[in-house]
Amino acid sequence: MEKPIYLKDSEDVKLFNELRKKVNQRVEGISENRDIYIQIKAVILPMIYLGLYVLALLNAEKHWIYILSFVLMGISLVLIYLNLIHEAAHNNIYKSKRLNGLILHIFDFIGANSYIWKKRHIASHHAYPNVDGWDTDIEQSGLLLIVPWIKAKGIQKYQDKFFFLVYPLYLFNWMFIRDFRDFFDKERVILKTQGKIPTIEKVKMISYKLFYFFYQIVVPVVFFKVSIGLALGAWFLQVISASIFALFVLLPLHPLPDNAFPKLNKENGLPFSWLRHQLEVTNDLKENNWLVRNVLGNFNFHVAHHLFPNYSYMYYNEITEEIEEFAKEHGLAYKRFPLITALSKHRDLLKQNANNAYYILEE
């Protein structure tokens, strides 16, 4: 398939070069090597996940400790993604790509697949965010309609009434359906746009999945006499808690009514330049505190990540200050909402899409 083409605008190229110069100068003026904190997390966070697992096994007879440990494993799973997996995919933790690759492989041990996720994130989402047919993050599942200009069908017309029942199943879909479809379904965005997947990666994906369920379910039942009901129940709660936590952080950043969902023209062209596209489809969150910066990997500053993915999240606070000031100065779109407001806006998007508000207006 021919890749989408961003609008060519020499003035926007000059604008981005000017912004990049300001950002580079700002980051170069920061004397301390902040990335050391992510490298410390690369040791601590996996140890927390493993420690909670061991705690659960050693207290298998105390059901509340076992269940609580698994729920906290779900929370730590998301923290590993936000702080480590996401940065490793961009080679932002270590200077060595090999070391970043090792960190990325943690994803394989906690239920996902590092190979296909990196393709989704780098070659699909970052390349063409919010572009239907190219951004895997908005690929339609059938139950929920995210893209506003597609007509709602069937159960999608009621999605604003039941989405809260579907979203807690987010990681179940990822583990059991999404990964497998992206590997084997030729109609999926990944196979259409990224080409053939090596057989060895398919074997590794299935092997890692089997190992994941072996240590999550089989080991507790066979070696620590945990009942099947308790083992499955605790694991189920782990994935539910992780799904809710993950979407609480990720949903406010792209799929809102305020964000554009650009359509390709007949020549496969996009309506915005690369710079304006990133600003139109991405927004930040107003929350900026110790918890967000140090625990959630500065996901509140998502515009900075899309414009400057080569910098780790440890520099996003200063980078965002430069972006916000530059956007005001040049009349560029820059959106920033409180978390609760953004989540409410996402529900508004689902409701508008269900009623085809955008579709009707366009017609």
Side-chain angles (χ1 to χ4, degrees), residues 46-62 65-70 72-73 76 215-216 219-220 223-224 226 238:
M47 288 181 63
I48 290 175
Y49 182 87
L50 181 60
L52 288 167
Y53 176 69
V54 172
L55 178 65
L57 295 181
L58 295 180
N59 291 274
E61 74 284 355
K62 298 177 181 177
I65 295 181
Y66 187 88
I67 293 172
L68 179 60
S69 297
F70 266 70
L72 292 176
M73 283 172 65
S76 65
Y215 81 79
Q216 289 275 340
V219 168
F223 299 102
F224 291 87
V226 174
Q238 174 193 155

Side-chain angles (χ1 to χ4, degrees), residues 230-247:
L230 177 59
L232 289 174
W235 172 75
F236 185 81
L237 290 175
Q238 174 193 155
V239 182
I240 288 287
S241 61
S243 298
I244 294 172
F245 185 28
L247 289 177

Side-chain angles (χ1 to χ4, degrees), residues 326-362:
F326 191 83
K328 288 180 181 179
E329 181 182 347
H330 295 278
L332 297 171
Y334 174 75
K335 300 175 288 295
R336 194 171 182 178
F337 307 110
L339 174 61
I340 300 303
T341 300
L343 290 171
S344 177
K345 283 176 174 289
H346 176 71
R347 184 183 181 185
D348 290 342
L349 176 71
L350 294 180
K351 187 173 183 179
Q352 290 169 0
N353 290 356
N355 296 326
N356 289 128
Y358 284 89
Y359 183 83
I360 293 170
L361 286 172
E362 186 171 316

Side-chain angles (χ1 to χ4, degrees), residues 257-292:
D258 307 74
N259 297 126
F261 292 82
K263 295 176 69 173
L264 296 169
N265 61 27
K266 294 180 180 179
E267 288 74 38
N268 227 35
L270 287 163
F272 303 115
S273 67
W274 180 86
L275 170 63
R276 292 182 187 272
H277 183 101
Q278 307 308 316
L279 291 168
E280 291 288 348
V281 305
T282 314
N283 45 261
D284 283 348
L285 299 178
K286 286 192 175 180
E287 284 74 16
N288 181 17
N289 50 52
W290 183 91
L291 178 70
V292 171

Side-chain angles (χ1 to χ4, degrees), residues 155-362:
I155 197 171
Q156 293 173 347
K157 296 178 181 180
Y158 310 97
Q159 62 184 14
D160 58 307
K161 307 292 194 303
F162 67 80
F163 74 94
F164 61 91
L165 298 174
V166 175
Y167 279 170
L169 304 177
Y170 173 64
L171 291 184
F172 290 102
N173 177 69
W174 190 331
M175 292 177 184
F176 293 107
I177 300 175
R178 188 182 183 189
D179 280 348
F180 287 93
R181 289 191 67 189
D182 280 348
F183 268 90
F184 301 104
D185 187 346
K186 294 181 180 179
E187 296 303 311
R188 298 285 285 179
V189 168
I190 283 294
L191 288 182
K192 278 185 175 181
T193 61
Q194 302 302 316
K196 189 176 180 181
I197 295 174
T199 301
I200 185 62
E201 293 298 337
K202 297 176 182 178
V203 173
K204 286 165 62 177
M205 186 269 288
I206 295 173
S207 298
Y208 277 120
K209 296 279 188 186
L210 291 174
F211 177 74
Y212 170 76
F213 290 109
F214 175 75
Y215 81 79
Q216 289 275 340
I217 307 296
V218 177
V219 168
V221 171
V222 174
F223 299 102
F224 291 87
K225 307 305 178 184
V226 174
S227 68
I228 294 178
L230 177 59
L232 289 174
W235 172 75
F236 185 81
L237 290 175
Q238 174 193 155
V239 182
I240 288 287
S241 61
S243 298
I244 294 172
F245 185 28
L247 289 177
F248 197 79
V249 178
L250 298 176
L251 280 177
L253 306 176
H254 289 289
L256 306 185
D258 307 74
N259 297 126
F261 292 82
K263 295 176 69 173
L264 296 169
N265 61 27
K266 294 180 180 179
E267 288 74 38
N268 227 35
L270 287 163
F272 303 115
S273 67
W274 180 86
L275 170 63
R276 292 182 187 272
H277 183 101
Q278 307 308 316
L279 291 168
E280 291 288 348
V281 305
T282 314
N283 45 261
D284 283 348
L285 299 178
K286 286 192 175 180
E287 284 74 16
N288 181 17
N289 50 52
W290 183 91
L291 178 70
V292 171
R293 290 193 301 271
N294 296 282
V295 178
L296 300 184
N298 256 342
F299 252 70
N300 56 321
F301 294 141
H302 207 60
V303 174
H305 175 63
H306 271 264
L307 290 178
F308 301 98
N310 57 307
Y311 284 119
S312 79
Y313 64 78
M314 296 302 299
Y315 302 94
Y316 286 173
N317 191 40
E318 289 84 357
I319 292 175
T320 299
E321 288 178 1
E322 295 294 332
I323 292 172
E324 189 169 13
E325 181 180 344
F326 191 83
K328 288 180 181 179
E329 181 182 347
H330 295 278
L332 297 171
Y334 174 75
K335 300 175 288 295
R336 194 171 182 178
F337 307 110
L339 174 61
I340 300 303
T341 300
L343 290 171
S344 177
K345 283 176 174 289
H346 176 71
R347 184 183 181 185
D348 290 342
L349 176 71
L350 294 180
K351 187 173 183 179
Q352 290 169 0
N353 290 356
N355 296 326
N356 289 128
Y358 284 89
Y359 183 83
I360 293 170
L361 286 172
E362 186 171 316

Side-chain angles (χ1 to χ4, degrees), residues 13-230:
V13 172
K14 290 179 182 178
L15 279 177
F16 181 67
N17 287 337
E18 183 181 343
L19 174 60
R20 180 166 53 190
K21 184 178 180 181
K22 288 177 177 290
V23 166
N24 289 342
Q25 289 175 343
R26 181 70 180 272
V27 174
E28 288 170 3
I30 300 172
S31 58
E32 61 179 314
N33 183 6
R34 296 184 182 180
D35 290 337
I36 189 66
Y37 293 108
I38 306 180
Q39 294 168 13
I40 292 172
K41 291 179 184 179
V43 176
I44 293 177
L45 289 176
M47 288 181 63
I48 290 175
Y49 182 87
L50 181 60
L52 288 167
Y53 176 69
V54 172
L55 178 65
L57 295 181
L58 295 180
N59 291 274
E61 74 284 355
K62 298 177 181 177
H63 293 183
W64 71 272
I65 295 181
Y66 187 88
I67 293 172
L68 179 60
S69 297
F70 266 70
V71 169
L72 292 176
M73 283 172 65
I75 302 300
S76 65
L77 181 159
V78 179
L79 297 182
I80 288 172
Y81 167 78
L82 295 176
N83 289 275
L84 303 181
I85 304 301
H86 186 256
E87 291 302 305
H90 291 279
N91 293 308
N92 285 340
I93 300 180
Y94 301 102
K95 292 181 180 179
S96 166
K97 287 187 176 182
R98 186 180 68 85
L99 289 177
N100 285 306
L102 288 175
I103 296 298
L104 190 61
H105 277 305
I106 294 174
F107 222 22
D108 298 307
F109 290 95
I110 55 179
N113 179 266
S114 62
Y115 174 85
I116 205 69
W117 179 81
K118 186 173 182 179
K119 278 191 170 291
R120 288 184 197 131
H121 188 68
I122 303 296
S124 177
H125 175 64
H126 265 269
Y128 309 106
N130 275 23
V131 179
D132 182 50
W134 289 87
D135 181 0
T136 57
D137 283 6
I138 61 167
E139 192 164 11
Q140 297 307 134
S141 66
L143 287 175
L144 300 176
L145 177 62
I146 300 297
V147 180
W149 45 266
I150 296 177
K151 188 172 178 60
K153 298 178 180 179
I155 197 171
Q156 293 173 347
K157 296 178 181 180
Y158 310 97
Q159 62 184 14
D160 58 307
K161 307 292 194 303
F162 67 80
F163 74 94
F164 61 91
L165 298 174
V166 175
Y167 279 170
L169 304 177
Y170 173 64
L171 291 184
F172 290 102
N173 177 69
W174 190 331
M175 292 177 184
F176 293 107
I177 300 175
R178 188 182 183 189
D179 280 348
F180 287 93
R181 289 191 67 189
D182 280 348
F183 268 90
F184 301 104
D185 187 346
K186 294 181 180 179
E187 296 303 311
R188 298 285 285 179
V189 168
I190 283 294
L191 288 182
K192 278 185 175 181
T193 61
Q194 302 302 316
K196 189 176 180 181
I197 295 174
T199 301
I200 185 62
E201 293 298 337
K202 297 176 182 178
V203 173
K204 286 165 62 177
M205 186 269 288
I206 295 173
S207 298
Y208 277 120
K209 296 279 188 186
L210 291 174
F211 177 74
Y212 170 76
F213 290 109
F214 175 75
Y215 81 79
Q216 289 275 340
I217 307 296
V218 177
V219 168
V221 171
V222 174
F223 299 102
F224 291 87
K225 307 305 178 184
V226 174
S227 68
I228 294 178
L230 177 59

